[in-house]
Amino acid sequence: MATLGQYLIESLEALGVGHVFGIPGVHNLELYRALPRSRIRHVTGRHEQGLGFMADGYARASGRPGVCFTITGPGLTNIATAMGQAHQDSIPMLVVSSQNRRDESEGGRGFLHELPGQALIAGEVAGFTQRISAPAELPAALEEAFRLFATARPRPAYIEIPRDLLGSRVSGLPLPEVSSRKAARAAPAEAVAAAVAVLNGARRTAILAGGGAIGAAAEVRSVAERLDAPVVMTVNGRGILPPGHPLAVPFSPSLAPVRALIAAADVVLAIGTELGPTDYDMYGLRPFPPPARLLRIDIDAAQTRRNAVPLVALTGDARATLAAILEAEPGAARRRSGPARAAAGCARASAALTRAMRAQIGFLEVIRESVPGALLVGDSTQPVYAG
């Protein structure tokens, strides 16, 4: 008969998890007893905040949820910063935290790492939170977390397990099935049809691609080429179109020339982008003027109307929704002005940067050309600001 901690490891394997980031401690040792017998690779850090950022980076690079094991109390408060970043950037992350024994929790008696409202704190930076009060609750909690990763706006999930439950003996609990994770859906057919009708009437389409479009890079490229549309990529959307693509505009939409390119379009298709000030008014000059004829694709229905209300809102997975648009074969008679518009926008954007900033971009280009395929990770540095 296995413990609940062993069952959790087997469940993560069944869900396709190959890596876990964690720090073993007295409160979560039951999570580690089964690891040597599993195929999961454990990566140890020195601080829970570092674990969270490692899991965040793993999720961005692999497209799979990053999974973390933390201890009670300070383990959760330490990782909360990384969870907050993942929440804002829509990164799938599962944090499994221990909690004091059920007869020790929330009593204020001074047990080790006792933290009032631990799950409430996690809930502020997670899209899904559940405290396990009985072993039978864990299978459904894991399935719900991974279902949301696959079908909703990705956000951290938090599962809290009291340590007496982690060591409890269990039997008969079903393993989560990978096949139970439903595929993300396209926007409703009527919204797709309305968007295609608008696109078919356009002559100067532009595309805004954010981090939510990363998983749909091939579809973004196909739609852009079919619509003859320059693609403005936000910081989290860089690389959706490869360097040198004639429709790529890898400059900040905060720059006046890029804003002018967007304003000159008769239809703007925004894909997986918040249209928020961090990307669209980074220099704090003036708010980004919303396009008059805007189409928005976002997996989050509420996000389709934040910062700018679209002519057509397409609530659905970016990849599936773009595939549905492509099936309708939009823009068959499009004129070929897109590359010229993109090139002019890039030239003017480059000219708008200072000489020092252009040198910083040149530095990034040298790295990219010298180490093809390498992942570039940006912090608060001049090369990042220049880009």
Side-chain angles (χ1 to χ4, degrees):
M1 185 178 292
T3 66
L4 189 64
Q6 291 169 330
Y7 165 80
L8 175 64
I9 298 300
E10 293 172 5
S11 296
L12 292 176
E13 274 196 300
L15 289 163
V17 173
H19 294 76
V20 165
F21 303 85
I23 301 176
V26 66
H27 279 192
N28 67 359
L29 282 180
E30 288 299 333
L31 292 173
Y32 285 86
R33 295 191 193 282
L35 270 176
R37 297 191 297 275
S38 78
R39 296 185 300 273
I40 295 175
R41 178 184 176 189
H42 183 268
V43 181
T44 305
R46 295 189 176 185
H47 191 279
E48 288 83 5
Q49 187 180 103
L51 297 178
F53 283 122
M54 283 191 282
D56 178 296
Y58 171 85
R60 292 175 195 252
S62 70
R64 301 176 179 178
V67 180
C68 292
F69 290 167
T70 69
I71 62 165
T72 313
L76 180 275
T77 56
N78 285 344
I79 204 172
T81 296
M83 291 176 68
Q85 183 68 57
H87 185 279
Q88 292 304 103
D89 279 356
S90 302
I91 304 301
M93 177 192 297
L94 173 62
V95 176
V96 179
S97 174
S98 60
Q99 175 56 286
N100 284 324
R101 299 174 56 90
R102 286 170 293 175
D103 59 356
E104 298 174 350
S105 302
E106 309 289 335
R109 289 180 287 162
F111 288 100
L112 180 65
H113 297 330
E114 186 174 338
L115 178 66
Q118 181 172 304
L120 294 176
I121 293 171
E124 293 298 313
V125 287
F128 169 76
T129 303
Q130 185 166 343
R131 179 176 181 177
I132 303 301
S133 58
E137 296 174 357
L138 185 55
L142 288 168
E143 288 213 356
E144 179 65 4
F146 279 80
R147 184 190 71 80
L148 291 172
F149 292 152
T151 64
R153 184 174 185 178
R155 288 234 159 104
Y158 173 80
I159 296 177
E160 179 179 297
I161 310 175
R163 62 191 184 97
D164 59 315
L165 285 183
L166 280 174
S168 65
R169 296 290 173 176
V170 298
S171 63
L173 293 181
L175 288 176
E177 296 181 9
V178 175
S179 60
S180 68
R181 288 180 282 167
K182 297 179 180 178
R185 297 180 179 177
E190 56 272 22
V192 172
V196 169
V198 174
L199 292 169
N200 281 337
R203 287 296 175 266
R204 295 184 314 282
T205 305
I207 292 175
L208 307 179
I214 285 288
E219 289 75 14
V220 172
R221 180 172 183 165
S222 295
V223 168
E225 290 172 352
R226 187 163 189 89
L227 297 177
D228 189 40
V231 179
V232 178
M233 294 165 280
T234 67
V235 169
N236 282 339
R238 297 292 165 80
I240 288 176
L241 287 192
H245 191 284
L247 293 172
V249 182
F251 286 88
S252 170
S254 297
L255 292 168
V258 181
R259 285 189 173 191
L261 170 66
I262 298 167
D266 54 1
V267 172
V268 174
L269 174 60
I271 309 167
T273 176
E274 295 176 329
L275 298 178
T278 302
D279 283 311
Y280 292 85
D281 190 24
M282 185 173 67
Y283 309 114
L285 300 176
R286 62 183 177 88
F288 176 72
R293 293 173 62 78
L294 174 66
L295 313 175
R296 293 188 74 172
I297 300 174
D298 203 287
I299 201 166
D300 183 348
Q303 190 60 54
T304 62
R305 297 187 176 276
R306 289 195 189 108
N307 295 319
V309 177
L311 185 66
V312 180
L314 298 102
T315 302
D317 174 73
R319 185 177 182 181
T321 300
L322 290 172
I325 289 174
L326 284 167
E327 286 179 6
E329 299 185 350
R334 191 78 54 209
R335 293 178 296 181
R336 296 298 161 191
S337 65
R341 289 188 288 135
C346 288
R348 290 167 184 154
S350 179
L353 296 173
T354 64
R355 182 177 179 181
M357 281 192 168
R358 287 196 295 274
Q360 298 288 354
I361 291 176
F363 167 68
L364 294 177
E365 289 174 345
V366 167
I367 295 176
R368 186 189 70 222
E369 293 167 4
S370 301
V371 193
L375 293 176
L376 297 183
V377 180
D379 202 341
S380 297
T381 59
Q382 287 299 310
V384 173
Y385 295 145

